[in-house]
Amino acid sequence: MCGIVAYIGPKQATEVLLDGLKRLEYRGYDSAGIAVLNGPIGTQDSGRAGESVIARCQGKLDRLVRSVAEDPPRGHLGIGHTRWATHGRPSDENAHPHKFGRVAVVHNGIIENFVALRDRLSTVGHVFQSETDTEILAHLIDAELHAGADPFAAVRQALRHVEGVYALAVLIDGVHDRFFCARKDAPLVLGRGDGEQFAASDIPSVLPHTREVIFLEDGDVAEVRSDGCTITDLAGTMQRRAAKTITWSAAMAEKGGYKHFMLKEIFEQPSAVTDTLRGRVHPVSGKVTLDGIQISFADLQRIYLVACGTSYHAALVGKFLIEGLARITVEVDLASEFRYRNPLIGKGDLLVAISQSGETADTMAAVREAKGKGARVMAVTNVIDSSIARAADATFYTHAGPEIGVASTKAFTTQLTALLLLALAAGRETKALSAERAEGLLKELMTIPHQMKRIIDQVRTLQDLAHRYADASDWLYLGRGVNYPIALEGALKLKEISYIHAEGYPAGEMKHGPIALINEQMPVVILAPKGPGYEKVMSNLQEVRARAGKVIAIATEGDSVVADAADAVFFIPDVAPPFQPLLTVLPLQLLAYYVADAKGTDVDQPRNLAKSVTVE
Ligand code: AGP
């Protein structure tokens, strides 16, 4: 999605803005731009005193950097933007910032009534330069200024005409000492520095400067000066927002020496799972605590797990975990489908919205649907104070740290961890899980990060395996039971970063169709750890071999039967079935990564994809 940055302070704004946009590149974009208000803070400088200078273009950020290298816009106040097109094709004219009259604006979201607003303003002489919905914001604010409103009031009053989703930042010519920003259903965070202030769509942009942040709430409008900010609602009523301290270091949001963010994040998974367990697991007592979240699982009719993409695969695993350990009925839905099937969710049900970003529009819509039908909502998300976290009745945070790579890895395994904790806590409360069994499972759960590390340390084996099959054009992934969702996830990882066609299937479905696909060029990844369904999976493996398919098996350490039957085998430690997905997914992530790396695709920002899909 689009990325926004804004700055006011003693530094040259151009440098701060371009660096901030660089740290938002992962959000996916097709254009970039900045606007800088020239003149030192508080005084009029020579030249075009008090007017914002705009530089913007289609394409990658490097093109914008080159375009200003000779003569960078000068000034201590500015806004910047990376655009992911929603209205109007990617072009220089449609790139942000958009300016009309005295007002320059950058925006993330969708102005749903922009056509009606544009038509209305056109009748009074406004001329529009772009195809975007965003440009209407500059016109609306400028019109309020002309009507005599002060700058802060002009922004508020303009936004009252707007329907839709927005996070925005605004410069106003002649107003040297402030920028303005606002949010509704799209993320925006303020960074508090010493004599300087920042705004950004996401934390990595402000981290190099400060860890003190303020998360704006929906409906907030802020006037930001170098020494602080004033926040009101659209009516002008003051709002108090407490600052939070982000523990993520700037380094965490950088690559840390890895070739790609995705590889760094794959390697971070043992510590991410450890961080997600911390303070919530008490093996001796067999207890699990959910950060004080009060949910009476025993009274629940049903739990709905709703998500998109990789988070949906986590939800599918969650069904096995919660039904297996807590014996509560679980329904799993794709968020993009949920609200269109008139779901029977209601009072007495719990909807768990799983979302790494906490901003996925379809998942947010499912939350609204559930709340509208009287259900309670819990969010499982990785981003504090994200929109879905704010909309939920309770939030159970994963502690994966910033996940920059578009392909989700550590967020996924920490989601599995959160769902495990949920299932264990629920099982203890419904008495479906005895204290003794819970104690045993918790003790084993505490060893899982170490087991994950043992797998990831075998990265060379997976790199070799990837290179062996990197030229295949079609892959099939098979799994049963709790590993069936991992087959789906393995296929998604491969297709989204290497652009190779791959399908995940329940192994038992082979004979109902996919077996017709098998040929000697096709790698078939089969999840065959010891456990429920093992024998059946072994039959599937033989069926594939009998048709000359190339079997890459993920098996339990020491299983020579699988090793003899497969073309290639990767061993994982022997763990209880509820913990297997945390291990079986790892070789599939690394396999996908090294195939994509061998193909030279843009692993961290695959084509057409965005890290957070904030449009439906
Ligand atoms: C996963 O690798 C993809 N990037 C994508 O499927 C992602 O999981 C999906 O868009 C959901 O995102 P969320 O978890 O932030 O809601």
Side-chain angles (χ1 to χ4, degrees):
M1 297 338 316
C2 301
I4 289 174
V5 292
Y7 174 75
I8 183 166
K11 301 183 182 82
Q12 280 301 322
T14 296
E15 188 185 327
V16 176
L17 297 173
L18 292 176
D19 177 67
L21 291 179
K22 193 105 188 98
R23 297 170 196 278
L24 294 180
E25 280 193 295
Y26 70 87
R27 297 167 67 85
Y29 69 103
D30 51 63
S31 318
I34 60 173
V36 175
L37 195 59
N38 61 359
I41 296 178
T43 61
Q44 299 274 355
D45 70 351
S46 60
R48 296 166 55 204
E51 280 184 32
S52 63
V53 173
I54 290 181
R56 63 184 187 173
C57 58
Q58 182 186 350
K60 288 297 187 188
L61 200 52
D62 291 346
R63 186 165 171 239
L64 175 65
V65 170
R66 286 196 301 276
S67 74
V68 300
E70 291 290 303
D71 177 18
R74 300 196 55 71
H76 302 272
L77 170 59
I79 58 179
H81 189 264
T82 49
R83 180 176 184 243
W84 192 73
T86 53
H87 288 75
R89 58 187 167 51
S91 68
D92 291 356
E93 301 70 38
N94 288 334
H96 302 203
H98 289 283
K99 184 167 185 177
F100 181 79
R102 296 171 51 197
V103 180
V105 64
V106 291
H107 162 237
N108 175 25
I110 291 180
I111 308 298
E112 290 168 0
N113 62 334
F114 88 97
V115 173
L117 291 169
R118 187 175 59 189
D119 293 349
R120 200 170 79 207
L121 288 175
S122 300
T123 58
V124 291
H126 284 246
V127 177
F128 292 84
Q129 307 297 326
S130 78
E131 306 161 313
T132 69
D133 55 337
T134 299
E135 187 185 349
I136 192 70
L137 295 168
H139 289 255
L140 288 170
I141 297 169
D142 191 68
E144 296 295 340
L145 291 170
H146 272 94
D150 71 64
F152 199 2
V155 175
R156 285 197 297 265
Q157 286 161 203
L159 290 175
R160 285 191 210 129
H161 299 290
V162 166
E163 294 164 17
V165 175
Y166 58 77
L168 58 90
V170 177
L171 291 185
I172 296 176
D173 287 357
V175 179
H176 276 291
D177 58 352
R178 285 162 288 167
F179 67 78
F180 304 90
C181 49
R183 72 152 281 170
K184 177 176 170 292
D185 293 333
L188 197 61
V189 60
L190 301 184
R192 295 175 20 156
D194 180 10
E196 56 184 5
Q197 305 293 320
F198 307 81
S201 298
D202 200 356
I203 292 165
S205 246
V206 300
L207 271 183
H209 308 284
T210 177
R211 290 183 192 165
E212 290 303 306
V213 300
I214 291 175
F215 290 91
L216 291 184
E217 301 269 355
D218 285 346
D220 284 357
V221 188
E223 174 187 76
V224 184
R225 303 169 304 278
S226 59
D227 62 355
C229 66
T230 304
I231 301 173
T232 72
D233 61 14
L234 287 179
T237 308
M238 294 293 281
Q239 303 294 310
R240 295 195 58 73
R241 299 283 176 254
K244 296 185 191 298
T245 302
I246 297 298
T247 53
W248 296 352
S249 66
M252 276 174 78
E254 295 306 323
K255 291 181 190 156
Y258 289 90
K259 184 175 181 182
H260 295 104
F261 280 114
M262 182 181 176
L263 189 60
K264 170 175 173 281
E265 288 148 12
I266 288 173
F267 274 74
E268 285 176 341
Q269 291 181 102
S271 57
V273 168
T274 299
D275 290 346
T276 301
L277 290 170
R278 187 171 291 119
R280 295 164 163 176
V281 178
H282 315 283
V284 174
S285 62
K287 282 182 76 64
V288 170
T289 51
L290 301 178
D291 299 356
I293 294 172
Q294 300 299 324
I295 289 186
S296 170
F297 291 102
D299 299 335
L300 286 179
Q301 304 290 323
R302 197 174 324 212
I303 294 177
Y304 289 76
L305 303 180
V306 180
C308 299
T310 285
S311 301
Y312 170 71
H313 298 152
L316 289 172
V317 175
K319 176 182 174 72
F320 283 98
L321 299 176
I322 296 170
E323 290 193 342
L325 296 172
R327 310 307 290 161
I328 298 171
T329 303
V330 175
E331 290 206 27
V332 179
D333 274 276
L334 283 166
S336 54
E337 293 291 323
F338 180 69
R339 65 193 181 287
Y340 298 118
R341 67 178 184 82
N342 193 12
L344 294 171
I345 192 169
K347 203 168 163 46
D349 293 330
L350 172 70
L351 179 127
V352 179
I354 305 169
S355 173
Q356 186 284 129
S357 62
E359 300 297 343
T360 298
D362 284 321
T363 309
M364 171 60 99
V367 166
R368 290 199 181 104
E369 174 79 9
K371 295 187 82 157
K373 289 181 178 259
R376 287 195 67 195
V377 173
M378 174 194 275
V380 172
T381 182
N382 191 45
V383 180
I384 57 176
D385 276 31
S386 57
S387 300
I388 291 173
R390 285 204 187 82
D393 299 304
T395 300
F396 195 52
Y397 285 107
T398 52
H399 297 150
E403 184 176 74
I404 308 298
V406 165
S408 188
T409 51
K410 63 177 183 174
F412 177 67
T413 45
T414 55
Q415 286 168 350
L416 297 184
T417 305
L419 290 165
L420 262 169
L421 293 174
L422 214 54
L424 289 163
R428 289 293 298 122
E429 197 206 292
T430 60
K431 303 282 185 276
L433 185 63
S434 68
E436 187 187 2
R437 183 161 179 241
E439 196 180 317
L441 286 171
L442 289 179
K443 282 203 174 76
E444 184 171 8
L445 177 54
M446 298 308 282
T447 69
I448 293 301
H450 169 69
Q451 305 289 22
M452 293 172 79
K453 187 173 181 322
R454 285 180 58 209
I455 291 171
I456 293 169
D457 286 346
Q458 299 173 61
V459 59
R460 295 287 313 167
T461 307
L462 290 153
Q463 191 170 10
D464 296 343
L465 206 50
H467 292 164
R468 207 162 119 196
Y469 294 101
D471 296 332
S473 59
D474 293 279
W475 291 56
L476 192 57
Y477 290 71
L478 303 177
R480 276 185 190 262
V482 76
N483 288 302
Y484 154 50
I486 302 304
L488 300 179
E489 175 59 11
L492 175 61
K493 284 282 115 14
L494 184 72
K495 71 180 101 174
E496 70 173 323
I497 63 175
S498 68
Y499 316 148
I500 293 171
H501 175 250
E503 279 192 271
Y505 251 91
E509 274 297 290
M510 276 286 290
K511 51 190 171 297
H512 299 288
I515 199 163
L517 291 171
I518 306 298
N519 62 41
E520 58 275 11
Q521 280 82 40
M522 177 181 269
V524 181
V525 180
I526 299 185
L527 300 167
K530 288 283 176 67
Y534 172 77
E535 289 70 23
K536 294 275 193 315
V537 172
M538 284 308 293
S539 305
N540 299 133
L541 193 156
Q542 297 301 350
E543 286 159 13
V544 173
R545 293 281 290 152
R547 289 153 182 83
K550 294 286 177 281
V551 173
I552 301 171
I554 309 298
T556 301
E557 277 167 347
D559 186 344
S560 56
V561 173
V562 173
D564 294 344
D567 293 276
V569 63
F570 183 85
F571 290 112
I572 63 168
D574 189 5
V575 296
F579 308 133
Q580 281 179 2
L582 281 163
L583 302 188
T584 51
V585 74
L586 301 177
L588 308 192
Q589 292 170 343
L590 285 165
L591 205 51
Y593 173 79
Y594 282 111
V595 168
D597 188 41
K599 289 175 68 71
T601 56
D602 191 343
V603 169
D604 283 333
Q605 299 165 45
R607 68 186 182 200
N608 307 333
L609 289 178
K611 183 59 185 171
S612 173
V613 184
T614 56
V615 290
E616 294 180 19

